[in-house]
Amino acid sequence: MLGDGNATSGPLARRRRATLAAERRASVQPVNGASAAACGSPVTAQPSVPGGGKKLERPSAPPPWAERKKRRAEAGDRLSCHKAQESLLSSASGYRNYRGILNWCVVMLVLSNARLFLENLLRYGILVDPIQVISLFLNDPYSWPAACLLIASNVFVLVALYTERQLSKGSFSECFGLVVHVINLATMLTFPAAVVLLVPSMTPVGGAVALGTYTILFLKLYSYKDVNLWCRELSTIKVKKLVRSLSCPLPQLSQGDEHKVCYPGNLTIRDMYYFVSAPTLCYELNFPRSPSVRMSFLLRRLFEMLFFTQLLVGLIQQWMIPIIRSSMKPLEDMDLSRMTERLLRLAVPNHLLWLMFFYWFFHSSMNFTAELLCFGDRQFYRDWWNSESVTYFWQNWNIPVHKWCLRHFYKPLLRRGFGKMASQSAVFLLSAFFHEYLVSVPLRMFRLWAFTGMMAQLPLAWFVGRFLRGNYGNAAVWMSIIIGQPVAVLISDSPPPGPSLHRYDDLQRYRTLVPHQHHMFHATCNGQSS
């Protein structure tokens, strides 16, 4: 019995002693300032209380059901595979990285255009012949009417400079000087047009180049007249020094750039021809200048100019002209289905050529000229490709023309009391006139298609701005560019009603680029092309 009692009480006694020892260890204070946690005690150290003792509190253990609930929740989280989220293609998701889709669009675009180009080669053969294009300009070099027109443009430049010099001296009155400027500017528009229309040897390409140069010069000399008039008006109110004109904010000038031209010190031949050659339409007494010419930049732009010139001519010969020729008969027969098919076939090469021309002219050529002349303002275009309205596109794709219209036409109309809508309509009317001038006169066709197409931008701008926003507005702008231009090309080049001689005359303009394709040319004239 005694042995059984000891065997029974032995484990219980040992458990009691272990419990008492644990309580005694918990009550022992840390030595040398060590924390209770550092000593491994589960009791949290408490600050001393008066009398030198410690106030000890044993932590309350969480109930067992809370621990079980927490473990169940953690296990549920580990097993869960769903959470509240939006699809990536939804606008509410906030996802913006669509680089892969963009690359896919580029690959599909390249493949589709490669198929069209291969089909063109199999159907028409190789039509590209740059030697024939060069021979057009080298044939009879002593009778180039376009080159003679370009040389004669210097007369109008010198007349404008002479008139401004006389006005600065007071030899001409303001009224007489205005009459001279008006006659000079009006002659600049009528004289080259008359030469293009009356001289039989003038080609459409030469006429377009000559009229384009005269149009640019017209806008430049108009700005030259206005700015010098503003200078004289400021001089009358005792303004001693004019650093820049009233068009743009002052740029950040480099140190040491203190030699500024003041009126009438700007009325020199050097200043005049610098402005005529500079890639801008708005005159200023002191243009922003770059410190030096970067030869690497200049050579890259020169290479791009030469490369894109050959590429544009080759694509016109190989791709554009066959499609236009094959579209003559459907347009004459008013076959809507075939007209639509020809329009869609023409849209891709026409748009590709337009993009190449934009890069060639507004980036390569204008930057080349600006670098050569150390012209500092290189903002020739802005992000027109992000246009969400037609108005934004026209304001940003051609910055030199936009600045000229804003400075010399739109704001003067507002100052004279015209409303914004009337002033905007007047700007579009002026632009429509020059579009028709640059298209109809070189081609010797007066059908007002370019004028009508430009004026149609007004209701289109109203519709897009009123009903379309964001990506839908941007898509509408792109559609107007891609589809609107080939429509204008087909309509302007469609044969007028009448005998086949008219079709022959229309096609004769394109024969100069591919003279060796006589069989296709005569087949088209006879209405046998596909």
Side-chain angles (χ1 to χ4, degrees):
M1 295 294 293
L2 183 60
D4 293 337
N6 293 334
T8 303
S9 61
L12 295 176
R14 284 196 294 273
R15 282 198 294 271
R16 291 193 197 100
R17 286 195 295 270
T19 302
L20 293 174
E23 291 178 356
R24 284 195 297 270
R25 285 196 300 270
S27 63
V28 176
Q29 299 298 322
V31 183
N32 298 329
S35 63
C39 296
S41 173
V43 181
T44 304
Q46 298 293 335
S48 300
V49 295
K54 295 285 184 179
K55 183 179 181 180
L56 301 177
E57 292 184 2
R58 298 187 63 181
S60 60
W65 60 267
E67 289 292 335
R68 289 194 299 270
K69 184 176 181 181
K70 182 178 180 180
R71 285 195 298 271
R72 291 194 192 101
E74 292 177 352
D77 291 340
R78 289 194 300 270
L79 296 176
S80 176
C81 63
H82 295 285
K83 62 180 180 178
Q85 55 188 339
E86 297 287 342
S87 299
L88 291 185
L89 296 180
S90 174
S91 59
S93 67
Y95 185 77
R96 294 294 182 269
N97 186 11
Y98 299 105
R99 182 182 57 187
I101 296 179
L102 179 62
N103 292 334
W104 170 78
C105 293
V106 172
V107 171
M108 292 297 296
L109 182 65
V110 170
L111 292 178
S112 60
N113 284 293
R115 185 198 66 81
L116 292 175
F117 192 73
L118 181 60
E119 180 184 358
N120 179 276
L121 287 177
L122 295 176
R123 185 172 186 178
Y124 301 110
I126 299 177
L127 305 178
V128 178
D129 192 355
I131 304 300
Q132 291 291 340
V133 177
I134 297 174
S135 66
L136 291 175
F137 298 95
L138 298 180
N139 186 23
D140 197 5
Y142 296 101
S143 61
W144 291 348
C148 295
L149 275 178
L150 296 180
I151 295 173
S153 64
N154 291 279
V155 175
F156 301 97
V157 175
L158 297 177
V159 168
L161 177 60
Y162 175 78
T163 304
E164 287 300 328
R165 282 183 173 180
Q166 298 303 313
L167 286 170
S168 67
K169 298 175 185 177
S171 302
F172 287 176
S173 64
E174 290 293 336
C175 182
F176 183 75
L178 178 61
V179 170
V180 174
H181 277 303
V182 169
I183 295 175
N184 188 46
L185 294 174
T187 308
M188 287 186 63
L189 294 180
T190 55
F191 170 69
V195 172
V196 170
L197 293 174
L198 297 178
V199 176
S201 60
M202 180 72 73
T203 63
V205 176
V209 171
L211 291 182
T213 303
Y214 271 82
T215 301
I216 293 174
L217 198 57
F218 171 88
L219 299 177
K220 284 177 176 282
L221 294 185
Y222 190 95
S223 177
Y224 189 77
K225 171 191 74 69
D226 271 1
V227 172
N228 284 291
L229 174 62
W230 298 340
C231 292
R232 288 193 297 275
E233 290 175 350
L234 290 175
S235 297
T236 57
I237 57 174
K238 307 302 182 183
V239 174
K240 302 295 185 181
K241 183 179 180 181
L242 182 65
V243 176
R244 283 172 59 87
S245 61
L246 306 178
S247 59
C248 305
L250 290 173
Q252 296 294 331
L253 300 176
S254 59
Q255 294 182 356
D257 192 7
E258 300 175 353
H259 302 286
K260 296 300 173 185
V261 178
C262 302
Y263 184 83
N266 62 306
L267 302 177
T268 62
I269 293 181
R270 178 188 177 89
D271 179 86
M272 182 63 161
Y273 275 95
Y274 181 87
F275 170 57
V276 168
S277 304
T280 180
L281 299 176
C282 295
Y283 176 69
E284 294 182 2
L285 273 69
N286 298 280
F287 290 104
R289 305 293 291 271
S290 55
S292 62
V293 176
R294 297 168 293 178
M295 290 304 300
S296 60
F297 181 88
L298 193 70
L299 293 177
R300 285 199 301 270
R301 301 289 85 81
L302 178 61
F303 172 77
E304 291 174 354
M305 290 168 59
L306 298 176
F307 173 75
F308 280 108
T309 299
Q310 292 296 325
L311 186 59
L312 285 170
V313 173
L315 289 178
I316 290 173
Q317 290 178 311
Q318 184 69 44
W319 210 348
M320 287 281 291
I321 295 176
I323 298 177
I324 294 175
R325 285 175 169 174
S326 63
S327 304
M328 293 298 178
K329 194 172 188 303
L331 285 171
E332 184 183 4
D333 298 338
M334 295 304 294
D335 188 347
L336 294 180
S337 59
R338 295 186 67 188
M339 286 170 56
T340 305
E341 188 267 340
R342 293 297 192 274
L343 174 65
L344 295 178
R345 283 181 59 190
L346 185 62
V348 174
N350 177 83
H351 185 63
L352 185 62
L353 288 170
W354 182 80
L355 291 176
M356 289 182 182
F357 173 79
F358 170 82
Y359 188 88
W360 173 82
F361 185 76
F362 286 97
H363 185 75
S364 300
S365 300
M366 299 188 77
N367 269 295
F368 176 82
T369 306
E371 189 69 24
L372 197 61
L373 298 175
C374 295
F375 186 81
D377 188 0
R378 308 294 176 88
Q379 193 182 55
F380 307 121
Y381 54 89
R382 285 195 282 263
D383 60 334
W384 57 266
W385 46 86
N386 294 326
S387 301
E388 297 180 0
S389 66
V390 178
T391 305
Y392 186 87
F393 168 78
W394 287 108
Q395 290 175 350
N396 291 277
W397 92 279
N398 190 340
I399 295 300
V401 171
H402 172 66
K403 283 183 178 180
W404 188 94
C405 291
L406 189 67
R407 183 195 196 195
H408 298 285
F409 198 72
Y410 181 75
K411 288 185 177 180
L413 288 178
L414 292 180
R415 287 195 292 266
R416 285 172 172 79
F418 290 89
K420 290 186 176 181
M421 190 61 189
S423 301
Q424 291 177 357
S425 301
V427 171
F428 273 97
L429 184 64
L430 180 67
S431 179
F433 165 76
F434 279 111
H435 276 77
E436 186 68 30
Y437 177 79
L438 294 173
V439 172
S440 296
V441 177
L443 295 178
R444 299 180 176 92
M445 296 187 311
F446 300 95
R447 305 182 191 176
L448 298 180
W449 291 120
F451 182 88
T452 305
M454 193 62 200
M455 292 305 297
Q457 297 294 311
L458 281 174
L460 179 64
W462 175 84
F463 177 81
V464 173
R466 180 72 180 273
F467 298 103
L468 301 176
R469 294 288 187 276
N471 292 331
Y472 296 102
N474 183 253
V477 173
W478 277 113
M479 286 293 294
S480 66
I481 297 172
I482 296 173
I483 301 298
Q485 292 178 359
V487 168
V489 170
L490 288 179
I491 291 178
S492 61
D493 293 317
S494 61
S500 61
L501 178 62
H502 293 285
R503 296 201 306 270
Y504 184 88
D505 291 338
D506 284 338
L507 293 175
Q508 183 66 30
R509 293 191 300 273
Y510 301 105
R511 183 186 177 188
T512 57
L513 293 178
V514 278
H516 58 285
Q517 296 295 323
H518 296 294
H519 64 283
M520 184 186 304
F521 177 76
H522 290 295
T524 308
C525 293
N526 295 327
Q528 299 173 359
S529 62
S530 60

